[in-house]
Each structure stands twice: as structure tokens, then as C-alpha cells.
């Protein structure tokens, strides 16, 4: 297994300590912290590379991640945008039939969709397992 060492400054140490404590990791769990940070960074970069915006929302307040590397990836996106879809006559008839029948979601799905659209909705609390046990 390779070893990783980095020189840090007080500001970086504060940020790392905040992340470590938020994830419920001890001071000795540096490899786990690095693994979690790498996974999170990879996800952010994958989303940005596919043209997605990374945002944080709280009520009506929205903050966009505007780190230079994330912005560059999003701007460099080469994924083609679909401008139109051409359906055959039989596909058009099938689509019309589906749309004419209407959509009747189950009671459980209706409740879940109503919950998602509720402006007072609170996300679930994330609990981290204690790895020391």
C-alpha cells in the first residue's frame, strides 16, 4: 500500500478537522478521511464534467459551487444536447395511447411526491457508523 504525506497550513488543517469531525472520524483515521474526500471529489468532478451544476439549497437560498476547476469542467463539456426526437408513425400512436390513458400513481407514490414538493420538508438525518466498535 502506498503512503501519502502532505505539508499543510493552519487553514487547511482547520478544514480537514471540520470534515473529519463531521464524518465522525478520529484523528488517526487519515486514510479513511482521504478515501471519503476522494470519493466526494470524484463525484463532484463527474457531475461537473457531464455539465451538471453543483448546488446547495436551503429553503429559497441556493449557493452554487463555483470553484475554478468545477467551472472549467462544466464549460468543457462536449456531451451533445438532443434537440429533437423523431418518432415513427407507430411510435407516435403508441405515445398518444399512453398519454391518453393518463397516469394514476399509487397512494404511496402520491404521498412520496407530495412530500418531495413540501417546502417544509427536512432531509433525513445521516448517521455514521462508529468504525471503532
Amino acid at each position: 500500500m502506498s503512503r501519502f504525506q502532505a505539508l499543510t497550513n493552519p487553514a487547511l488543517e482547520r478544514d480537514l478537522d471540520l470534515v473529519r469531525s463531521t464524518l465522525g472520524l478520529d484523528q488517526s483515521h487519515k486514510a479513511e478521511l482521504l478515501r471519503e474526500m476522494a470519493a466526494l471529489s470524484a463525484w463532484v468532478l463527474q457531475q461537473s464534467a457531464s455539465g451538471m451544476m453543483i448546488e446547495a439549497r436551503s429553503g429559497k437560498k441556493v449557493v452554487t459551487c463555483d470553484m475554478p476547476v468545477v467551472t472549467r469542467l462544466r464549460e468543457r463539456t462536449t456531451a451533445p444536447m438532443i434537440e429533437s426526437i423523431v418518432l415513427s408513425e407507430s411510435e407516435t400512436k403508441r405515445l398518444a395511447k399512453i398519454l391518453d390513458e393518463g397516469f394514476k400513481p399509487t397512494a404511496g407514490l402520491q404521498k412520496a411526491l407530495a412530500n418531495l414538493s413540501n417546502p417544509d420538508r427536512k432531509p433525513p438525518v445521516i448517521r455514521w457508523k462508529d468504525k471503532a466498535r
Side-chain angles (χ1 to χ4, degrees):
M1 178 183 292
S2 62
R3 297 184 62 79
F4 175 80
Q5 291 183 335
L7 296 176
T8 60
N9 59 33
L12 180 56
E13 282 296 324
R14 277 193 309 275
D15 289 343
L16 290 172
D17 284 339
L18 173 65
V19 173
R20 185 181 297 114
S21 66
T22 301
L23 295 176
L25 300 173
D26 291 333
Q27 190 76 12
S28 62
H29 293 146
K30 290 183 179 181
E32 190 171 349
L33 173 64
L34 182 59
R35 187 172 44 251
E36 295 290 340
M37 295 301 296
L40 179 60
S41 298
W43 182 84
V44 167
L45 295 176
Q46 288 168 355
Q47 299 306 310
S48 298
S50 68
M52 303 292 276
M53 297 288 293
I54 308 300
E55 298 177 336
R57 296 176 185 256
S58 178
K60 292 186 178 189
K61 183 178 178 183
V62 178
V63 179
T64 302
C65 179
D66 61 355
M67 296 174 65
V69 68
V70 171
T71 303
R72 278 195 310 272
L73 276 172
R74 193 173 48 252
E75 290 170 353
R76 211 171 55 191
T77 301
T78 58
M81 298 298 289
I82 298 174
E83 294 182 16
S84 64
I85 298 174
V86 179
L87 300 176
S88 68
E89 185 176 340
S90 63
E91 291 170 328
T92 304
K93 288 178 182 176
R94 175 73 178 127
L95 180 59
K97 181 181 177 195
I98 291 170
L99 293 175
D100 287 342
E101 290 174 1
F103 176 64
K104 295 184 173 84
T106 63
L109 181 56
Q110 286 178 348
K111 184 178 178 183
L113 293 173
N115 186 33
L116 287 174
S117 64
N118 181 356
D120 298 324
R121 176 181 173 267
K122 301 282 189 253
V125 176
I126 297 175
R127 291 182 180 85
W128 298 95
K129 290 183 179 179
D130 184 8
K131 302 267 182 182
R133 292 182 193 182

